[in-house]
Structures are given as C-alpha cells and as structure tokens.
Amino acid sequence: MKQDGKHPSGAKSRKKKYKKELRALQIKLVTLQRHLIQHDLQIAILFEGRDGAGKDGTIKRIIEHLSPRETRVVALGKPSDRDNASWYFQRYASHLPSRQEMVLFNRSWYNRAGVERVMGFCTDHEYREFMDAVVPFETMLVRSGIQIIKYYLDIDREEQRQRLKARKVDPLKQWKVSPVDKVALKHWDEYSVARNEMLARSHSEIAPWYVVCADDKKTARLNVIRHILATVECPESDQQAEAPDPDIVFPYDGAHLLSGKIAP
C-alpha cells in the first residue's frame, strides 16, 4: 500500500488544507492592508534568492486579493544607459512606497550584490561602493518612515536544478527562462559566496534579513505571509496571527552557514 504522502487522496487532502490555510491568511492580509491605509504606513518588502527560488509565486499569493491601488510589484529589467549614468539607488528610489502603499520588490537593489557581482555586470569598485552604501541607504529610508522587510528565499542545488529544468518544458513558464538561468547552476558556488557576503554585510538591526527555507514552495509561501502579518504591527490581525515556523523563516545568523540551515 502506498504511504499517505504518495497516495492520490493524501496529495488531494494536503492541497485542500493548503488552499484553506492560504485563504485564511489572505483574508488577514486584506485586514492588514486596511490598517496600512488607515494609518498611512509605508511598507517595502524585498524578495531575493537564486533563480527558481519561488519569488514570483510567493509574491503572487501575497497580492492576489489586495487592492491594486495601494499595492505595487516592482520587477525592474536591464538598466538603461541613463540608469547606468545615474546614482545606483536612483532607479529604485523612484519606486519606493508612498503613504498607504505596500511595494513588493521582485529582486531589488541587491541585484548588485548577487547577479551583477557574479555575472560581471558591475565593476569591483561599483560593488564595493554599493556594499558600503546599502546599510546607510536603508537606515535613511527607515528613519523617513518606510518599513523594510527583506527575505532571502533559499533552496538547495538539486531543487534549483529541478525547477529550472521544469521551466524549459512548461509552456506557461517560458517567460521565466533567461540567459542568466542557463548558467545559474554553473555559477552555484559563486552565487553562494556572493549571498554569504551580502547577508553578512547588509544584515542590520534596523533592516534585518530573514531567510526562508523554500524547497517546499507552498510551505514557504504560507510562512512568509505569516511572518509579514507578525512583523507589521496591526492590532486587528495581531490578535489572531499565527507565528511562522522558525525552521522555515528565521533571522539571518552567520552560524546558519556553518550548521547547514542555509544551503551551502
């Protein structure tokens, strides 16, 4: 007999439970947004992670039932010549939330510490300049009234391999395939080094990093939403908020690199 985890009825039951939990959390997100609007809050949520880590799917579930007037997703493409001739943070600063807004960055200014660094799209000087400036930049934003929540979605090498492979054959995911995807696995170790330095140098008390174990997409999505609900102060949702699983979403600590809690 098949184990419940592999039996069709077991999979159906888990899917039903996931949808039920997701809906309940999305209702709380709507309550949170109402609080955000009433109190003129400004929320910027950053999503970073390797290609295939699940950023798109997580963001989709967060915004699915929120008001599009007060919710924006920012996913910038290749910088223009004007962008390259401007202050690095300028192209991102124009997308920051105003009062009553929540903005979700699908990759952010940390592109410079990840893709640009590994793929050679920036110079060593530009990289060092960014790393020196990013914490003061975020400190300035927080002191101006913007709450920043930073997530790094972490997956292991085999999980990335399977997801990138699936993209190539799924006609609904063809838009996700990029030249950077094609060499992501080849540069796995370089991305790990870049990630480790990014987390270590830009994790701060005022704008900390939260690592999300995202090998299981659905579990990651639910726990990111729980974490958002727990992190943004909202009395209406706080009373019923369920804490995220600390093994799924947790503050960055260098010790996690040694313990294996963050994929090597």
Side-chain angles (χ1 to χ4, degrees), residues 222-228 230-231 242-249:
L222 295 176
N223 280 280
V224 167
I225 295 175
R226 290 186 186 113
H227 189 268
I228 292 171
T231 302
E242 179 183 350
D245 185 335
D247 289 326
I248 302 298
V249 182

Side-chain angles (χ1 to χ4, degrees), residues 45 47 59 71-77 91-92 94-97 102-108:
I45 307 178
F47 289 89
I59 291 171
T71 310
R72 288 188 288 118
V73 176
V74 177
L76 300 184
R91 70 192 298 246
Y92 295 99
S94 63
H95 296 283
L96 289 168
M102 177 189 293
V103 175
L104 298 91
F105 286 87
N106 188 344
R107 294 197 183 279
S108 64

Side-chain angles (χ1 to χ4, degrees), residues 77-236:
K78 183 179 179 181
S80 66
D81 290 341
R82 186 178 187 280
D83 290 331
N84 289 327
S86 305
W87 177 49
Y88 175 72
F89 292 101
Q90 187 168 318
R91 70 192 298 246
Y92 295 99
S94 63
H95 296 283
L96 289 168
S98 59
R99 291 177 183 175
Q100 304 184 0
E101 271 194 322
M102 177 189 293
V103 175
L104 298 91
F105 286 87
N106 188 344
R107 294 197 183 279
S108 64
W109 43 85
Y110 284 102
N111 253 353
R112 176 135 295 178
V115 174
E116 291 189 19
R117 174 65 167 168
V118 172
M119 300 303 295
F121 297 156
C122 67
T123 66
D124 288 343
H125 174 73
E126 288 171 334
Y127 170 76
R128 290 194 300 270
E129 194 173 58
F130 168 80
M131 294 303 287
D132 289 340
V134 67
V135 171
F137 172 70
E138 291 175 352
T139 300
M140 176 180 65
L141 296 184
V142 172
R143 288 177 176 170
S144 75
I146 298 175
Q147 182 174 0
I148 299 175
I149 309 174
K150 303 188 297 192
Y151 294 111
Y152 182 87
L153 275 58
D154 190 50
I155 55 175
D156 65 32
R157 190 191 298 252
E158 183 55 31
E159 184 64 24
Q160 185 186 50
R161 186 189 309 278
Q162 293 299 325
R163 292 185 187 182
L164 294 182
K165 182 179 178 181
R167 282 184 181 181
K168 295 178 182 179
V169 298
D170 188 338
L172 297 178
K173 295 183 178 180
Q174 289 298 303
W175 62 273
K176 292 187 175 185
V177 179
S178 71
V180 174
D181 280 358
K182 295 177 181 178
V183 295
L185 285 165
K186 177 182 176 182
H187 292 288
W188 175 274
D189 292 335
E190 292 96 322
Y191 273 113
S192 292
V193 171
R195 173 203 63 193
N196 296 350
E197 185 166 2
M198 178 191 79
L199 293 175
R201 294 189 58 185
S202 60
H203 176 73
S204 66
E205 184 176 349
I206 201 166
W209 275 106
Y210 296 98
V211 179
V212 182
C213 291
D215 282 342
D216 184 315
K217 290 181 180 182
K218 292 179 179 178
T219 299
R221 292 167 188 164
L222 295 176
N223 280 280
V224 167
I225 295 175
R226 290 186 186 113
H227 189 268
I228 292 171
L229 292 169
T231 302
V232 180
E233 291 188 8
C234 174
E236 293 91 337

